[in-house]
Amino acid sequence: MLRTRGARLGSQLLPAALGLGPASGRAASGARGQEWLQPAGYDTGVKVYNSLTRRKDPLIPPGAWGSRVLGHVGSYVRFDIIRRILTRVFGCSVVMVMGVTDVDDKIIKRANELNVSPASLANLYEEDFKQDMAALKVLPPTVYMRVTENIPQIVAFIAGIIASGHAYSTARGNVYFDLQSRGAKYGKLVGVVPDPMGEPGDSDKRHAGDFALWKAAKPQEPFWASPWGNGRPGWHIECSTLSSLVFGSRLDIHSGGIDLAFPHHENEIAQCEAFHRCPQWGNYFLHSGHLHVEGGEEKMSKSLRNYVTIKDFLRSASPDVFRLFCLRSSYRSAVDYSDGAILEARRLLHAVAAFVEDARAYMRGQLAGGPVREDVLWDRLGRTKGAVQAALADDFNTPRAVDAVVELIHHGNRELKAAAEEPRGPRSPAVLGALVSFVEQFFETVGISLAERQRAAGAGSPAALHSVVEELVRFRQTVRRFALAAGEAAGEARRRQLQERRALLEACDALRRDLSAHGVRIKVSAAPGAEARGREPAGRAQTSLRLDTDGPRPASRPLSPAVGGSLPCPRALLLTWAPLRPPGQERRVHVGAAGPADGRPQSRALRPGLAGGSVLPPVMRAALP
């Protein structure tokens, strides 16, 4: 379940501190309470904006990457794009673990209203979430970990924090993290800690800012046994435990939406550094901006009722269109969502697909034209490759990368147009093939496939729909050829014959115009040597078509993965990677639980079985009272 609790930081304090608002250009500063410790390891060549330091730092794995995402679709897609770039551009072998919160206040409340068990309701939310992510082409995690399947591990983690002197239990059976014991180290991400707002039923806290690690059982709520009495985990402790179970005492990157930076990520830092007794648990913190209603400052959210479900969006637009919309802004920036912005992304995607089709038709000899300036295009292609690599290495600057690719396409189209105007001379298919290959590879890297027909989800089988349109085009072409056929007639007889068949030609033209209005565009390209300009060729021709079935879009509404009043379950995306090994070097990938005192990971099952006794990592087992 993705949600935000604690202090509301809708003011400019948090965005400015994280470089997401107007103050993003301010001078870099160190973390509150201590200097940042640059990790040792493999330099990927990527620089990322680190919320801990307020600057771009070199990204140095191996380690683990925790990605905490927002309750709307933008962050899921944005971090999926970053994951793909790390893997396919910079050679990082990424392993992702998604933590699923399958018990919390909202699930319990909704389950009681529906008179169903919280577990069954959580399962329904989780499966619905998975279907939405698949529809958006978000890559699935390597493994899912659920909170209710790791309660003994969470209890052990809390016990370890108490043993370190950073948490306390109360007579009521609650356990709280003692913020006073954290001192100046608390507030690494925001610099200035907002005044605490407290939590319901927090009268047994020592300090107003202390947050719950374990909540005592209440009537009509699920509970588990613990050394402090029956109860269930608090919000922040779940993610800290799940990430530590898999990745040990260090994360390389911890990412998520800006609203999770405080208090959620800040509290995770406090918990993990207290438990592992380490000076720096997370090496990098990345935070994404929100989607906003156009012209407003409020983020899209279910509580504000300014959202649309993923399913509703995908009925009228393709996931590729939304991906391109996300690519055209920095993952750190807040973005206005509007009909106009989605329409512009759709037009751009169609323009890219049109260039690829035209370039292929030129290579096959189906598009009339002579030579292109090969030296110009080869030079432009080389410079574009370098520009894209540099942009993606600069904090995943996808807008700059997309602009470079679009500029390359403009140059390609310009050369194709010039070649069509002067169709004489040898053709130049190889350089156009290289452009097509690079353009397709770039978009496939970020999860956009130009080979697939741009269509709304649920619009039927793309293969079947494409076949129907092809049959319609062939029928039109047959009718048109009959209308233009001269047969044995000549002179005045031929003129009368063509006049009699004029209605057929007009019907063919009308069909072509009408199909275009529905997104089906028919291109009739002259065979080599035929006239390529002016009216549609009257002689021998080959027909290529492009099928774009993005239909009319609904009125502008923001996006949220909530479906039918439900709330998404997954909260955490936890990843680890190891760079692809250079020739002659061994590659090691560490995946496992926290090990002995030296903190090195140990091999073990990802999810210890709960039946018949749970298996805890040694450091957690030793922490139990």
Side-chain angles (χ1 to χ4, degrees), residues 42 61-63 83 86-88 90-96 575-581 587-589 591:
Y42 167 77
R83 177 187 175 190
L86 283 171
T87 302
R88 301 177 184 183
F90 298 104
C92 297
S93 179
V94 179
V95 176
M96 182 184 353
L575 301 92
T576 184
W577 70 65
L580 299 179
R581 65 181 183 276
R587 181 182 68 168
R588 296 183 179 180
V589 181
V591 180

Side-chain angles (χ1 to χ4, degrees), residues 394-406:
D394 182 16
D395 198 28
F396 312 109
N397 193 330
T398 56
R400 204 168 78 205
V402 170
D403 287 345
V405 175
V406 170

Side-chain angles (χ1 to χ4, degrees), residues 91 176 210 250 268 347 398 447 489-490 545 555 564 604 620:
Y176 297 98
D210 295 349
R250 188 185 68 186
E268 283 190 87
R347 286 173 175 169
T398 56
L545 65 90
R604 66 172 194 87
M620 292 187 179

Side-chain angles (χ1 to χ4, degrees), residues 281-341:
W281 172 62
N283 293 331
Y284 306 86
F285 280 76
L286 277 61
H287 292 97
S288 67
H290 288 298
L291 291 180
H292 290 257
V293 179
E294 185 179 29
E297 296 184 357
E298 291 182 330
K299 72 170 183 176
M300 300 177 181
S301 70
K302 183 171 181 290
S303 60
L304 296 175
R305 299 182 182 278
N306 61 351
Y307 69 95
V308 65
T309 68
I310 294 173
K311 289 181 175 62
D312 284 344
F313 176 83
L314 292 178
R315 289 189 185 100
S316 57
S318 72
D320 290 331
V321 168
F322 189 76
R323 278 183 173 265
L324 187 53
F325 166 77
C326 292
L327 282 167
R328 300 189 73 194
S329 63
S330 167
Y331 76 92
R332 292 196 290 120
S333 64
V335 185
D336 283 346
Y337 172 82
S338 66
D339 277 348

Side-chain angles (χ1 to χ4, degrees), residues 106-116 121 125 220 565:
K106 290 184 178 180
I107 291 178
I108 294 171
K109 178 181 177 182
R110 184 61 174 159
N112 288 337
E113 292 172 353
L114 298 175
N115 195 28
V116 298
L121 186 61
Y125 290 166
Q220 295 184 323

Side-chain angles (χ1 to χ4, degrees), residues 3-7 105 168 172 174-179 186 195-216 218 232-237 262-264 267 271:
R3 66 267 196 254
T4 304
R5 298 185 187 171
D105 293 341
Y168 59 90
R172 297 184 181 180
N174 296 307
V175 179
Y176 297 98
F177 190 95
D178 185 0
L179 280 188
Y186 192 74
D195 293 332
M197 296 185 66
E199 298 180 20
D202 60 355
S203 59
D204 58 345
K205 292 182 180 180
R206 291 179 185 173
H207 315 289
D210 295 349
F211 57 89
L213 304 180
W214 187 260
K215 297 181 178 182
K218 297 178 182 178
R232 58 186 175 89
W235 174 23
H236 315 293
I237 197 66
F262 189 91
H264 186 55
N267 290 351
Q271 292 168 159

